[in-house]
């Protein structure tokens, strides 16, 4: 049985429980956290109950009404994030002393980049994992704004974002250009028509998808020529809507390539209906020394 630690003391067991609590809070409940933590919902519930007993505080409400943090739970979450960030800073300083890679690398990435053929991120992560087998790599698929927030508040070490509106508090390492083209599915009336038979007026009259994320000026100008009829928060949502056969929309060519190869999609007027967006790896300016992050950045630069 785990005894409650003396006042002012935090045991390794407490740290493990706080990490579990942070993951449950970030996932929004026990069920969603099962896959992330690799343990059953009942085991999560038992450990959460243990943490509540040790703290003497009710951290969350769970039941038929759903999962929600209590006011005390939100305060403990903020405090635990501070503690865990301080531990990571400590590990980074120890790394610098021993020149051995230990600790965590927390990365935020926008969705649908895994199909990029250059695979610079994958290559850098592979090299990092080989050099530091004890490094724990944590990847979160996030929106660009959430990645920027995570970098500035210290929750993320690095993030891959479109380099459209650089923030003064972040450093950027350019990765590559991502080309997007205008697509329709084979059920769309424009699909069987040759490019020379498709007029810009026909495109302007077709129902189109409006992305819910930031675009380059070039992309905005192209988007404004289309008829807005639906919205999507990310590229996967755009793909869902295109595949209905009703809508046209812009997708990265590497992401659409699989559907194109199967004859399920085609680009429309690819010589004029395209835009390029630069992608970059961002990290906070003035960050504390972190050997794991610096080695990851070195491997990214080496893969250029």
């Amino acid at each position: 049985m785990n005894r409650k630690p003396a006042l002012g003391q935090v045991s390794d067991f407490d740290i493990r429980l706080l990490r579990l609590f942070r993951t449950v809070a970030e996932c929004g409940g026990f069920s969603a956290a099962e896959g992330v933590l690799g343990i059953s919902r009942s085991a999560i519930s038992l450990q959460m109950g243990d943490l509540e007993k040790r703290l003497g505080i009710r951290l969350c409400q769970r039941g038929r009404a759903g999962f929600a943090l209590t006011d005390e739970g939100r305060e403990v979450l903020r405090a635990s994030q501070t503690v865990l960030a301080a531990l990571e800073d400590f590990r980074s300083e120890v790394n610098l002393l021993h020149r051995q890679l230990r600790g965590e690398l927390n990365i935020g990435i926008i969705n649908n980049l895994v199909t990029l053929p250059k695979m610079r991120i994958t290559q850098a992560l592979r090299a990092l994992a080989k050099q530091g087998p004890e490094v724990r790599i944590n990847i979160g698929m996030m929106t660009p704004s959430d990645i920027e927030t995570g970098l500035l508040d210290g929750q993320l070490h690095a993030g891959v974002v479109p380099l459209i509106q650089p923030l003064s508090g972040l450093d950027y390492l350019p990765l590559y250009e991502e080309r997007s083209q205008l697509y329709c599915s084979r059920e769309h009336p424009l699909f069987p028509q040759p490019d020379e038979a498709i007029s810009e007026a026909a495109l302007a009259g077709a129902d189109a998808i409006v992305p819910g994320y930031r675009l380059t000026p070039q992309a905005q100008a192209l988007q404004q020529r289309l008829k807005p009829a639906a919205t999507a928060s990310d590229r996967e949502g755009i793909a869902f809507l295109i595949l209905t056969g009703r809508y046209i929309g812009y997708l990265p060519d590497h992401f659409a390539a699989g559907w194109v190869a199967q004859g399920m999609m085609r680009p429309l007027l690819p010589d004029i209906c395209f835009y390029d967006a630069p992608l970059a790896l961002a990290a906070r300016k003035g960050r504390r020394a972190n050997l794991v992050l610096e080695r990851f950045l070195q491997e990214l630069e080496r893969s250029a």
Side-chain angles (χ1 to χ4, degrees), residues 207-239:
D207 287 345
I209 306 156
V210 178
Y213 46 84
R214 283 174 293 183
L215 300 172
T216 65
Q218 179 191 11
Q220 291 177 12
L222 289 170
Q223 195 70 47
Q224 289 171 0
R225 299 177 188 174
L226 303 179
K227 174 186 171 185
T231 61
S233 63
D234 56 29
R235 286 99 70 93
E236 187 169 355
I238 292 176

Side-chain angles (χ1 to χ4, degrees), residues 24-159:
V24 170
E26 290 174 347
C27 292
F30 294 4
S31 297
E34 282 183 291
V36 177
L37 294 170
I39 59 177
S40 68
R41 181 177 176 178
S42 60
I44 294 172
S45 180
L46 286 172
Q47 293 186 52
M48 281 290 293
D50 199 350
L51 179 60
E52 288 178 327
K53 290 177 183 177
R54 294 166 75 83
L55 296 176
I57 295 173
R58 182 73 168 175
L59 297 173
C60 61
Q61 304 293 339
R62 54 263 199 192
R64 293 183 179 179
F67 175 88
L69 293 179
T70 62
D71 291 341
E72 294 82 1
R74 283 188 287 272
E75 291 298 325
V76 170
L77 177 61
R78 280 192 286 269
S80 66
Q81 289 170 336
T82 300
V83 169
L84 295 174
L87 283 173
E88 188 57 34
D89 287 341
F90 172 76
R91 283 188 179 136
S92 297
E93 293 183 8
V94 171
N95 273 335
L96 292 175
L97 293 173
H98 293 282
R99 309 305 297 176
Q100 295 178 359
L101 296 178
R102 295 188 181 93
E104 297 185 353
L105 179 66
N106 300 319
I107 310 174
I109 302 179
I110 60 174
N111 68 345
N112 310 127
L113 292 189
V114 71
T115 50
L116 271 167
K118 295 181 181 179
M119 297 184 68
R120 287 185 61 190
I121 300 169
T122 304
Q123 292 169 8
L125 290 174
R126 180 189 299 122
L128 180 66
K130 184 177 181 179
Q131 296 173 36
E134 296 183 25
V135 172
R136 180 184 177 94
I137 299 171
N138 304 306
I139 293 180
M141 308 309 295
M142 309 165 72
T143 65
S145 59
D146 286 342
I147 291 173
E148 291 165 346
T149 299
L151 291 170
L152 293 172
D153 66 17
Q155 298 302 308
L156 294 176
H157 298 116

